[in-house]
């Protein structure tokens, strides 16, 4: 029996609680019916969100059940509480500024983090079929480790269609997103796009501005994004306009789609062209149609209604193993659902999904909660520290008939007022800082001010924060005994200050742990940046060959560039310096263990001068040379030599198929992929025909102006290929992008850590001022009896220093434990040093001393005569 799907239980109960009894059954029935329709149409996640929205929108007059007649004066009472709270804020402006300011900063950070998390968890939700889309992956087992790949062989598509076609609504092959030259008349631009099958636009639910999604059924058609269409055709209607792709394919514009949002996996796609058109024109694509060892493509699927992704994944798992002749690596087929593409994109060496950005979501969510907690702790501490000032008010209220519940409501109302004002300030801070935050986090977040769901979440946020900040002060202040208060025998004492001390310890524990964490993140990034990369990226630019216009012109291009006087050397390669596009495991050599599972060797086809251009470091043997017959020569990196296991690599013979090659040199490992992982075995081979090389690497002279050099290079390229625009990338800038994600993470964490520390210090300022105020008479008496200013400072500040030391003792093991786990995700990482912890603790103590010293010294230097006068 199929289990019934139930809407979110909390919101269903909330609806039943507030809805008028005469309307409840009818509205609830409509909600259930609409909920199940949405599940069928768009999936459970989408249905849940819309159910929550509907319940919140129903919370309005006419549907809410009437209040109890016995509590008709609650509104006036609440109004009175707010009036008194407002007067107290105006009366104690310094306290109010610290409270509202601290809460505002804490709430602003929590709101920014909340917006960031929402953007992360709704990634790809722009696509209507979000819950039923998946990417086909492949796993191979090599030397006991499972390697998960997003690239699959082309024949898999036909097998899946023929064998399990009923399990899918759509399937679509796709190339990888790559830069192409788009031209229309005299206009030429460079844009990223994919060659896809006809179902693809429907699968990802492109929002068409003009034309239809199925336009690629005509193989000579193309779909353009709105921005690309405007760049090519201006204000003219692009539909049926002729254009060219990569100076090769003549196509007709058959549709324009809305630019895809920044939080979409396909955000970089600016055009979609026909898969069939591309496949029919490329010889290597025709050969790949029947080759199971050519893993060069992407395959996307949309599950049919009623199909379970785990069940379908289990059915298709053995398809490659069944049809491929070589099952050395025990290949398996996987389905990776779209909702996991962004957050859970990492796989461990056991072939198990181990997370991805979901880790950052949890980290920042925790930081946001703790920062908000720090701000609420300030409110609690300052409220309870002022208890003696509010004691007589409480005593009088109790004497004239107030019960404790009314006092609790009063203090919670004051908390609500402070939080409401802080929220208004916080939203102002968020609005001003959001552009900066977007730049720091690489987001395009906006605040939808007219969205009811946003205001519902904001109302819930204000309510929860009010309860969090005001609950303890409300219960504490309402617990006073009126007789003791009015007889002036009430004292808060040490026991009453104990919770405040605990809260201060919590504050600084969180702040110190955050600071330690951000320092270690920074050290890890710098450690990876300083790792030897095996080549010289300074003054090195890379130019991608995006059109046939430059093919076969390497010798002329190299000669012309060197003759400009700005270029040291030029070399071409089949992959960019920061990536490896071609792989193979089909290498053999004499003495190879037959039970040994070959690793995937990275294969880079190069021209003779590649090494000189990039500045690789020859460890043994020699470089490629035009003075030798090097057509069968190979150069290995250190990782390849180690994997093969030879002690004398020069002259070593390696076979691939029927071809025999010999090693002429060994180069030091070049970091071409992740700087956080070991370099994999790479083989460099000559491409004498210049057919596979499509990256030009140009080494600039260090004694010349880079600006003048670029202009000279552009002139040469334009002369040889006038039909294509000139684009280039500096190798050092491209390499820096490898650290982009970690650096953004580190900068965000650093920002939040600094703000958390500032919030904690803001609380210390307020708390130290009240402590000094409470000890005014004691300070006066001590000064008269001969106490010095340093002695008085020590009396007032000593407790705070002790609390920070306790915080440090708690924060150090916590930070060590969690940061050690974070570092273990990297195969190359730093060893945490005691110096980092010592410096952080020293910094925390100095900040504390500086924060509390002003109030302490001010109180110690006050005239004792004034403090001992009658009140």
């Amino acid at each position: 029996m199929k289990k019934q799907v139930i809407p979110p239980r909390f919101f269903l109960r909330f609806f039943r609680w507030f809805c008028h009894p005469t309307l409840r059954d009818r509205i609830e029935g409509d909600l259930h019916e609409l909920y199940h329709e949405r599940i069928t149409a768009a999936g459970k996640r989408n249905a849940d969100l819309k159910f929550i929205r509907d319940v919140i929108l129903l919370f309005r007059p006419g549907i809410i059940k009437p209040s109890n007649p016995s509590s008709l004066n609650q509104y006036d009472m609440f109004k009175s509480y707010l009036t008194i709270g407002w007067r107290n804020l105006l009366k104690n402006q310094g306290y109010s500024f610290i409270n509202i300011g601290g809460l505002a900063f804490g709430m602003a950070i929590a709101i920014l983090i909340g917006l960031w998390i929402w953007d992360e968890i709704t990634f790809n939700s722009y696509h209507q079929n979000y819950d039923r889309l998946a990417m086909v992956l492949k796993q191979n087992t090599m030397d006991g480790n499972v390697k998960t790949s997003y690239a699959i062989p082309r024949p898999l598509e036909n097998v899946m269609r023929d064998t399990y076609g009923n399990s899918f609504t759509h399937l679509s092959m796709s190339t990888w997103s790559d830069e192409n030259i788009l031209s229309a008349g005299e206009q030429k631009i460079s844009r990223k796009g994919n060659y896809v099958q006809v179902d693809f636009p429907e699968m990802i639910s492109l929002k068409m501005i003009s034309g239809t999604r199925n336009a690629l059924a005509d193989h000579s058609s193309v779909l353009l994004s709105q921005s690309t269409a405007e760049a090519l055709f201006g204000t003219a209607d692009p539909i049926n306009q002729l254009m060219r792709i990569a100076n090769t394919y003549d196509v007709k514009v058959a549709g324009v789609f809305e630019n895809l949002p920044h939080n979409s996996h396909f955000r970089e796609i600016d055009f979609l062209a026909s898969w069939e058109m591309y496949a029919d024109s490329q010889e290597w694509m025709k050969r790949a149609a029947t080759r199971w060892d050519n893993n060069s493509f992407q395959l996307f699927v949309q599950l049919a209604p009623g199909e379970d992704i785990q069940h379908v994944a289990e059915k298709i798992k053995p398809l490659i193993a069944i049809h491929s002749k070589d099952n050395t690596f025990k290949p398996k087929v996987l389905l990776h659902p779209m909702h996991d593409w962004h957050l859970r994109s990492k796989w461990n060496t056991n072939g198990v999904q181990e997370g991805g950005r979901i880790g950052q979501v949890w980290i920042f969510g925790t930081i946001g909660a703790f920062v908000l907690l720090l701000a609420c702790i300030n409110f609690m501490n300052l409220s309870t520290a002022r208890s003696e000032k509010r004691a007589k008010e409480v005593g009088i209220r109790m004497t004239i008939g107030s019960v404790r519940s009314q006092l609790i409501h009063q203090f919670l109302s004051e908390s609500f007022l402070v939080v409401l004002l802080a929220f208004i300030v916080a939203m102002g801070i968020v609005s001003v800082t959001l552009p900066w935050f977007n730049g720091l986090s690489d987001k395009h977040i906006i605040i939808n001010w007219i969205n009811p769901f946003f205001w519902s979440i904001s109302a819930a946020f204000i309510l929860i924060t009010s309860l969090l900040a005001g609950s303890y002060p409300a219960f504490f202040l309402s617990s006073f005994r009126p007789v003791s208060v009015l007889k002036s025998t009430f004292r808060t004492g040490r026991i009453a200050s104990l919770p405040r001390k605990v809260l201060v310890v919590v504050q600084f524990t969180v702040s110190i742990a955050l600071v330690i964490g951000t320092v270690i993140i920074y050290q890890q990034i710098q450690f990876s940046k300083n790792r030897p990369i095996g080549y010289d990226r300074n003054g090195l630019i890379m130019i991608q060959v995006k059109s046939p216009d430059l093919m076969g012109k390497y010798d002329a291009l190299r000669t012309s560039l060197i003759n400009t006087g700005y270029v040291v050397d030029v070399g071409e390669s089949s992959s960019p310096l920061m990536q490896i596009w071609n792989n193979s495991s089909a290498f053999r050599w004499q003495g190879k263990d037959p039970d040994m599972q070959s690793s995937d060797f990275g294969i880079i086809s190069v021209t003779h001068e590649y090494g000189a251009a990039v500045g690789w470091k020859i460890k043994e043997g020699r470089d490629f040379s035009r003075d030798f017959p090097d057509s069968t020569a190979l150069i290995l990196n250190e990782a390849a030599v180690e994997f093969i296991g030879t002690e004398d690599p020069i002259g070593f013979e390696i076979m691939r198929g029927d071809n025999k090659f010999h090693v002429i040199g060994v180069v030091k490992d070049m970091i071409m992929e992740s700087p956080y992982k070991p370099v994999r075995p790479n083989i460099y081979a000559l491409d004498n025909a210049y057919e596979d090389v499509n990256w030009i690497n140009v080494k600039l002279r260090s004694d010349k102006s880079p600006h003048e050099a670029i202009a000279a290079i552009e002139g040469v390229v334009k002369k040889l290929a006038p039909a294509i625009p000139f684009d280039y990338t500096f190798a050092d800038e491209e390499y820096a992008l490898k650290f982009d994600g970690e650096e953004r993470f580190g900068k965000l964490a650093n920002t939040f850590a600094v703000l958390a520390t500032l919030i904690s210090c803001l609380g210390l300022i307020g708390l130290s001022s009240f402590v000094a105020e409470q000890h005014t008479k004691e300070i006066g008496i001590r000064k008269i009896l001969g106490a010095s200013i340093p002695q008085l400072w020590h009396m007032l500040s000593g407790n705070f220093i002790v609390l920070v030391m306790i915080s440090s003792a708690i924060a150090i093991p916590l930070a060590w434990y969690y940061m050690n786990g974070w570092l273990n995700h990297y195969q190359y990482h730093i060893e945490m040093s005691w110096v980092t912890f010592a410096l952080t603790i020293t910094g925390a103590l100095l900040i504390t001393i500086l924060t509390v010293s002003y109030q302490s010294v001010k109180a110690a230097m006050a005239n004792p005569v004034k403090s001992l006068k009658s009140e």
Side-chain angles (χ1 to χ4, degrees):
M1 182 176 179
K2 193 172 182 180
K3 187 177 178 182
Q4 185 180 6
V5 182
I6 300 174
R9 295 178 185 273
F10 173 81
F11 288 93
L12 181 60
R13 290 171 184 162
F14 177 59
F15 165 76
R16 290 171 177 169
W17 172 75
F18 74 72
C19 187
H20 196 290
T22 60
L23 302 174
R24 186 183 301 148
D25 292 340
R26 187 170 75 250
I27 296 177
E28 185 176 338
D30 292 341
L31 286 173
H32 276 283
E33 183 179 350
L34 191 57
Y35 177 75
H36 289 289
E37 288 177 0
R38 286 169 175 164
I39 286 179
T40 304
K44 187 175 186 307
R45 181 186 182 86
N46 189 279
D48 285 348
L49 290 174
K50 290 186 176 178
F51 181 87
I52 294 170
R53 181 199 63 188
D54 291 343
V55 168
I56 293 171
L57 292 176
L58 285 169
F59 189 73
R60 62 176 187 265
I63 295 178
I64 302 174
K65 62 186 176 184
S67 304
N68 188 340
S70 63
S71 60
L72 292 176
N73 65 339
Q74 290 294 319
Y75 171 76
D76 292 331
M77 185 66 74
F78 183 67
K79 183 179 178 181
S80 172
Y81 292 158
L82 292 180
T83 302
I84 294 170
W86 178 253
R87 289 171 179 170
N88 277 326
L89 290 177
L90 293 178
K91 182 180 178 181
N92 303 281
Q93 293 182 8
Y95 152 82
S96 302
F97 174 79
I98 292 174
N99 248 351
I100 294 173
L103 269 176
F105 274 108
M107 294 178 80
I109 294 169
I111 291 168
L112 285 172
I113 291 177
L115 291 171
W116 183 89
I117 290 175
W118 181 256
D119 188 82
E120 289 286 305
I121 64 176
T122 58
F123 210 92
N124 285 326
S125 61
Y126 171 88
H127 307 287
Q128 294 174 4
N129 303 312
Y130 171 77
D131 288 325
R132 308 205 65 77
L133 286 178
M135 187 187 303
V136 180
L137 309 185
K138 188 188 80 165
Q139 286 186 335
N140 284 338
T141 302
M142 299 179 180
D143 301 320
N145 293 327
V146 179
K147 179 182 178 182
T148 304
S149 172
Y150 289 82
I152 56 98
R154 186 178 173 189
L156 181 60
E157 176 228 346
N158 288 329
V159 172
M160 288 179 61
R161 286 187 191 274
D162 296 340
T163 312
Y164 298 112
N166 292 334
S167 297
F168 307 103
T169 304
H170 301 293
L171 293 93
S172 177
M173 293 293 289
S174 172
T175 60
W176 305 90
S177 295
D178 197 14
E179 292 274 357
N180 281 266
I181 304 299
L182 306 183
S183 56
E186 296 300 317
Q187 188 66 29
K188 297 177 180 63
I189 59 174
S190 179
R191 291 289 187 273
K192 280 192 173 182
N194 293 42
Y195 296 93
V196 297
Q197 291 179 314
V198 65
D199 287 348
F200 187 78
E202 183 66 34
M203 289 169 66
I204 66 170
S205 54
L206 288 182
K207 295 181 180 178
M208 303 303 297
I209 296 173
S210 57
T212 61
R213 291 176 182 168
N214 64 353
L216 295 183
D218 177 359
H219 298 169
S220 62
S221 295
V222 67
L223 300 179
L224 302 178
S225 67
Q226 184 178 9
S227 59
T228 303
E230 291 173 354
L232 277 175
F233 301 103
T235 57
D237 183 7
I239 299 300
N240 294 324
Q241 295 272 17
L242 297 179
M243 56 173 286
R244 300 197 87 193
I245 303 175
N247 238 16
T248 303
Y249 306 109
D250 293 303
V251 293
K252 177 180 64 177
V253 179
V256 176
F257 57 88
E258 181 182 278
N259 292 335
L260 291 163
H262 192 71
N263 63 342
S264 166
H265 178 81
F266 304 108
R267 66 187 182 188
E268 293 184 336
I269 291 181
D270 284 313
F271 75 90
L272 292 172
S274 169
W275 166 271
E276 287 77 12
M277 176 187 71
Y278 183 69
D280 291 343
S281 65
Q282 300 288 328
E283 287 301 320
W284 74 273
M285 284 279 285
K286 294 176 184 177
R287 295 193 297 268
T290 57
R291 290 188 56 178
W292 288 91
D293 61 341
N294 186 337
N295 300 290
S296 303
F297 311 98
Q298 298 182 93
L299 176 57
F300 300 96
V301 299
Q302 180 180 334
L303 295 178
E307 290 284 357
D308 177 70
I309 189 166
Q310 297 300 330
H311 178 65
V312 176
E314 196 62 33
K315 290 193 297 185
I316 68 172
K317 182 185 291 185
L319 288 182
I320 294 180
I322 291 172
H323 293 85
S324 175
K325 294 179 181 178
D326 183 6
N327 291 320
T328 306
F329 304 114
K330 303 174 185 176
K332 297 177 184 178
V333 181
L334 302 181
L335 286 181
H336 192 203
M338 189 182 220
H339 55 74
D340 283 350
W341 292 359
H342 183 68
L343 294 178
R344 298 172 182 85
S345 58
K346 291 186 178 179
W347 306 77
N348 63 24
T349 54
N350 294 320
V352 178
Q353 204 174 45
E354 65 172 2
R357 287 182 69 91
I358 189 65
Q360 292 187 17
V361 169
W362 278 110
I363 290 172
F364 284 132
T366 304
I367 291 174
F370 274 119
V371 169
L372 182 61
L373 177 64
L374 297 184
C376 292
I377 286 174
N378 282 349
F379 181 90
M380 296 178 195
N381 277 339
L382 295 179
S383 297
T384 54
R386 298 179 67 250
S387 56
E388 289 190 26
K389 288 183 173 292
R390 303 294 300 270
K392 288 188 177 180
E393 176 191 342
V394 171
I396 293 171
R397 285 183 178 275
M398 285 185 166
T399 303
I400 62 178
S402 289
V403 294
R404 190 180 183 191
S405 61
Q406 290 175 316
L407 291 171
I408 291 173
H409 290 156
Q410 176 191 346
F411 292 122
L412 286 176
S413 299
E414 292 182 12
S415 168
F416 173 79
L417 178 61
V418 172
V419 171
L420 181 62
L421 293 173
F423 177 78
I424 294 171
V425 176
M427 288 308 299
I429 295 172
V430 170
S431 299
V432 171
T433 59
L434 194 55
W436 164 83
F437 182 76
N438 279 332
L440 183 63
S441 60
D442 189 30
K443 294 287 186 184
H444 289 181
I445 298 170
I446 59 171
I447 301 176
N448 192 347
W449 297 100
I450 61 174
N451 188 340
F453 184 70
F454 168 76
W455 288 111
S456 301
I457 295 297
S458 298
F461 179 65
I462 293 170
L463 180 62
I464 292 171
T465 307
S466 299
L467 293 173
L468 183 64
S471 55
Y472 173 67
F475 284 99
F476 176 76
L477 294 173
S478 64
S479 66
F480 297 159
R481 293 184 178 183
V483 175
S484 300
V485 169
L486 296 178
K487 288 176 67 176
S488 298
T489 60
F490 167 77
R491 291 290 182 271
T492 55
R494 292 187 176 183
I495 295 177
S497 66
L498 181 61
R500 290 200 297 274
K501 293 178 179 178
V502 171
L503 293 175
V504 170
V505 168
V506 171
Q507 274 189 315
F508 274 89
T509 298
V510 172
S511 299
I512 292 169
L514 283 176
V515 171
I516 291 173
T518 55
V519 171
I520 291 173
I521 291 171
Y522 173 79
Q523 289 175 338
Q524 171 63 16
I525 293 171
Q526 294 306 310
F527 174 78
S528 300
K529 277 188 170 182
N530 295 330
R531 181 181 170 190
I533 63 171
Y535 58 92
D536 183 10
R537 64 179 183 268
N538 296 317
L540 184 63
I541 67 169
M542 303 182 297
I543 304 169
Q544 186 179 5
V545 180
K546 304 174 185 176
S547 167
D549 295 48
L550 274 176
M551 294 292 186
K553 299 179 180 179
Y554 168 67
D555 291 329
L557 176 67
R558 177 174 177 270
T559 301
S560 299
L561 288 176
I562 293 175
N563 288 340
T564 63
Y566 292 98
V567 173
V568 176
D569 215 332
V570 180
E572 290 190 328
S573 57
S574 59
S575 299
L577 260 175
M578 314 305 164
Q579 298 176 49
I580 298 174
W581 285 3
N582 301 306
N583 311 283
S584 177
S585 57
F587 288 99
R588 311 184 315 278
W589 53 88
Q590 188 175 5
K592 179 182 177 183
D593 187 343
D595 296 327
M596 180 183 186
Q597 293 178 320
S598 292
S599 174
D600 250 349
F601 286 86
I603 304 175
I604 301 96
S605 299
V606 300
T607 55
H608 291 84
E609 295 78 20
Y610 173 79
V614 303
W616 66 11
K617 296 173 176 58
I618 300 290
K619 183 180 179 182
E620 294 181 59
R622 63 175 177 85
D623 201 344
F624 293 117
S625 173
R626 295 179 183 270
D627 297 330
F628 295 91
D630 283 344
S631 59
T632 61
L634 299 177
I635 290 179
L636 309 182
N637 69 349
E638 293 173 299
V641 173
E642 182 180 354
F643 182 80
I644 291 172
T646 177
E647 295 181 359
D648 187 15
I650 305 304
F652 190 80
E653 289 189 347
I654 297 177
M655 289 153 284
R656 185 185 186 194
D658 296 329
N659 299 315
K660 186 180 293 185
F661 301 89
H662 65 282
V663 177
I664 64 167
V666 177
V667 294
K668 286 189 172 294
D669 287 338
M670 295 168 58
I671 299 178
M672 301 182 71
E673 296 177 298
S674 172
Y676 303 105
K677 295 180 180 179
V679 175
R680 65 161 144 165
N682 288 337
I683 294 177
Y684 301 88
L686 277 179
D687 183 5
N688 294 301
Y690 307 146
E691 292 178 351
D692 295 329
V693 288
N694 51 9
W695 282 88
I696 304 169
N697 306 282
V698 182
K699 182 69 172 180
L700 306 181
R701 290 177 63 93
S702 59
D703 58 343
K704 299 289 185 179
S705 163
H707 179 74
E708 294 176 2
I710 295 298
I713 294 169
E714 181 178 8
V716 171
V717 174
K718 283 287 186 183
K719 184 176 180 180
L720 291 173
I724 63 173
F726 175 70
D727 291 320
Y728 64 94
T729 305
F730 276 98
D732 53 355
E733 294 177 355
E734 192 70 18
Y735 186 75
L737 293 177
K738 291 182 177 292
F739 303 92
D740 191 55
E742 282 75 13
E743 286 192 322
R744 289 184 188 280
F745 175 67
K747 288 177 182 177
L748 285 171
N750 180 59
T751 302
F752 297 144
V754 170
L755 291 174
T757 305
L758 289 176
I759 291 171
S760 298
C761 291
L762 195 62
L764 273 186
I765 291 171
L767 200 56
S768 60
S769 67
F770 280 112
V771 169
E773 187 178 343
Q774 287 176 333
H775 290 80
T776 302
K777 290 186 181 296
E778 180 185 350
I779 292 170
I781 293 171
R782 285 178 178 273
K783 287 193 73 173
I784 289 174
L785 294 176
S788 65
I789 290 178
Q791 289 174 323
L792 294 172
W793 171 86
H794 181 267
M795 181 193 78
L796 293 172
S797 304
N799 283 337
F800 292 110
I801 296 173
V802 170
L803 293 179
V804 173
M805 291 297 294
I806 295 172
S807 299
S808 300
I810 299 172
I812 287 173
L814 285 175
W816 183 91
Y817 176 79
Y818 285 106
M819 294 313 298
N820 186 61
W822 181 78
L823 287 173
N824 285 335
H825 284 91
Y826 300 99
Q827 290 171 290
Y828 287 90
H829 60 77
I830 62 168
E831 294 297 328
M832 286 184 286
S833 169
W834 65 269
V835 176
T836 301
F837 297 92
L839 289 176
T840 305
I841 294 170
T842 304
L845 287 172
L846 288 174
I847 291 172
T848 304
I849 292 170
L850 291 173
T851 302
V852 302
S853 289
Y854 172 74
Q855 295 295 340
S856 301
V857 173
K858 179 181 176 183
M861 295 181 67
N863 188 343
V865 176
K866 291 183 180 180
S867 62
L868 294 175
K869 278 185 177 180
S870 59
E871 295 180 359

